[in-house]
Amino acid sequence: MYKFEPLLKQTLWGGDKIIPFKHLNVSLDHVGESWEISGVKDNETIVADGPDKGKSLNQLVREQKALLVGKENYQRFGDEFPLLIKFIDARQNLSIQVHPTDEIAHRQGKSRGKTEMWYCLGEEGNHNSQLPQLYNGLKQQITPEQYKQMVEDDTITEALARYEVHEGDVFFIPAGRIHAIGAGCFVAEIQQTSDVTYRIYDFKRKDKNGNYRELHTKEAAESIDYTVLDNYRTDYDLPKNEGKQVVSCPYFTTAVYDLNEPMALDYSELDSFVILIAVKGSGSLSADGETVAFQTGDTVLLPATTKEVKVDGEVKFLETFV
């Protein structure tokens, strides 16, 4: 089992939730993101303890190959770890964005697209006692031409589905779906390992030098999926002491667990690494003769050789694998 040193990202829009959530003894302001597990070039997470302490995630993949990620995953992704795990705390609205599919990304000269999901970690009212909100998907049919005009007219948000956020909400964001995290949102994000983001609209904000941030209107127009759905939130019931699958796609499968009694998770038939993300409570994980603490804010990587892990304690967590 591996825990990694988090990569804390200070941003203009970052808040103050991540450090206490992760029980970190550091003093930083405006931490917008904590990269929990990352193989992104120049942003690789480092093993925090144990015999492999100090090694990067990509170094582990190069050394262990299929033993770490699974045979099919290694054939598919090679030495690149396929998922990026983050916590995101938005004190201000983030820009409205879209990510391309793999196919469109290749056409645009990028290595791959980005499909992702959000799990909402908490609800906290702003000064008006309103719940935080986010945008996900189109609520009305528009054409690429109308999209460009609405960006120009500052009316693009009128075409987007907007949701009040509650703890436990799940939003799947396949490549091509317009989305934006709103002020006050605190989420766990699971995504393809990719940094391809096209900024559609940034609320006419200026940076510290007085300049508007770059928009990628042309690339975004080529990437947007203009399909309109009735609901973009994943509705689900979560029974105690059972896993509930909330996302299954070619890039990752994710389930939510809410335990108040010990449970053994069986991975004997799974040809993949598994990532467990504690979102509430505390307990421990035991596998292969090793036991580690597992509490709110922890992210643990189980190698593909793990056949079973025992979870003890009262803890709510996400389980994801490829």
Side-chain angles (χ1 to χ4, degrees), residues 132-183:
Q133 299 180 343
L134 56 77
Y135 293 105
N136 195 22
L138 291 168
K139 69 177 182 182
Q140 67 189 56
Q141 198 69 58
I142 59 173
T143 65
E145 292 72 26
Q146 288 173 318
Y147 147 75
K148 291 175 183 176
Q149 190 60 51
M150 293 180 86
V151 170
E152 190 68 29
D153 296 343
D154 303 321
T155 59
I156 187 62
T157 57
E158 296 175 10
L160 305 181
R162 185 168 62 181
Y163 292 86
E164 285 190 338
V165 169
H166 303 83
E167 183 177 342
D169 279 356
V170 170
F171 291 89
F172 179 52
I173 309 152
R177 183 170 293 170
I178 299 178
H179 59 279
I181 295 174

Side-chain angles (χ1 to χ4, degrees), residues 298-311:
D298 282 346
T299 304
V300 177
L301 171 64
L302 306 175
T305 51
T306 302
K307 300 304 180 188
E308 181 182 85
V309 61
K310 293 180 180 177
V311 187

Side-chain angles (χ1 to χ4, degrees), residues 18-34:
I18 286 176
I19 288 174
F21 179 76
K22 289 187 57 60
H23 310 280
L24 299 176
N25 186 25
V26 295
S27 180
L28 289 175
D29 295 324
H30 305 313
V31 177
E33 299 185 355
S34 174

Side-chain angles (χ1 to χ4, degrees), residues 72-278:
E72 287 191 20
N73 285 334
Y74 192 73
Q75 290 173 347
R76 182 178 172 191
F77 301 105
D79 288 336
E80 184 170 54
F81 194 79
L83 293 184
L84 173 57
I85 310 296
K86 300 178 182 178
F87 295 125
I88 300 175
D89 173 20
R91 184 173 50 92
Q92 302 173 6
N93 291 328
L94 272 62
S95 60
I96 295 171
Q97 359 179 294
V98 72
H99 310 298
T101 62
D102 288 347
E103 181 183 359
I104 293 172
H106 295 158
R107 227 167 37 226
Q108 295 174 339
K110 313 289 187 183
S111 59
R112 65 178 53 81
K114 188 198 292 186
T115 285
E116 59 190 2
M117 67 165 283
W118 295 327
Y119 176 91
C120 299
L121 293 167
E123 50 192 82
E124 184 176 312
N126 60 22
H127 60 280
N128 296 321
S129 298
Q130 294 176 326
L131 291 173
Q133 299 180 343
L134 56 77
Y135 293 105
N136 195 22
L138 291 168
K139 69 177 182 182
Q140 67 189 56
Q141 198 69 58
I142 59 173
T143 65
E145 292 72 26
Q146 288 173 318
Y147 147 75
K148 291 175 183 176
Q149 190 60 51
M150 293 180 86
V151 170
E152 190 68 29
D153 296 343
D154 303 321
T155 59
I156 187 62
T157 57
E158 296 175 10
L160 305 181
R162 185 168 62 181
Y163 292 86
E164 285 190 338
V165 169
H166 303 83
E167 183 177 342
D169 279 356
V170 170
F171 291 89
F172 179 52
I173 309 152
R177 183 170 293 170
I178 299 178
H179 59 279
I181 295 174
C185 290
F186 183 28
V187 305
E189 182 176 88
I190 298 167
Q191 61 163 87
Q192 284 178 268
T193 294
S194 169
D195 59 358
V196 181
T197 295
Y198 296 138
R199 193 178 298 117
I200 288 173
Y201 184 69
D202 198 35
F203 304 96
K204 289 292 173 72
R205 290 181 295 202
K206 295 181 179 180
D207 62 20
K208 60 185 179 182
N209 298 318
N211 301 315
Y212 293 120
R213 290 205 295 174
E214 181 187 5
L215 301 181
H216 310 99
T217 308
K218 177 179 179 295
E219 295 92 338
E222 297 170 356
S223 302
I224 294 170
D225 179 351
Y226 292 91
T227 305
V228 178
L229 302 180
D230 292 334
N231 182 28
Y232 297 93
R233 179 163 40 205
T234 300
D235 295 323
Y236 67 100
D237 295 318
L238 182 59
K240 282 283 187 181
N241 304 307
E242 294 180 34
K244 181 68 175 183
Q245 188 179 107
V246 291
V247 172
S248 180
C249 72
Y251 304 104
F252 52 84
T253 297
T254 301
V256 186
Y257 289 79
D258 188 8
L259 306 187
N260 60 8
E261 61 185 40
M263 186 176 188
L265 305 178
D266 181 3
Y267 299 125
S268 58
E269 301 298 318
L270 182 67
D271 179 31
S272 174
F273 64 89
V274 177
I275 295 169
L276 303 180
I277 307 164

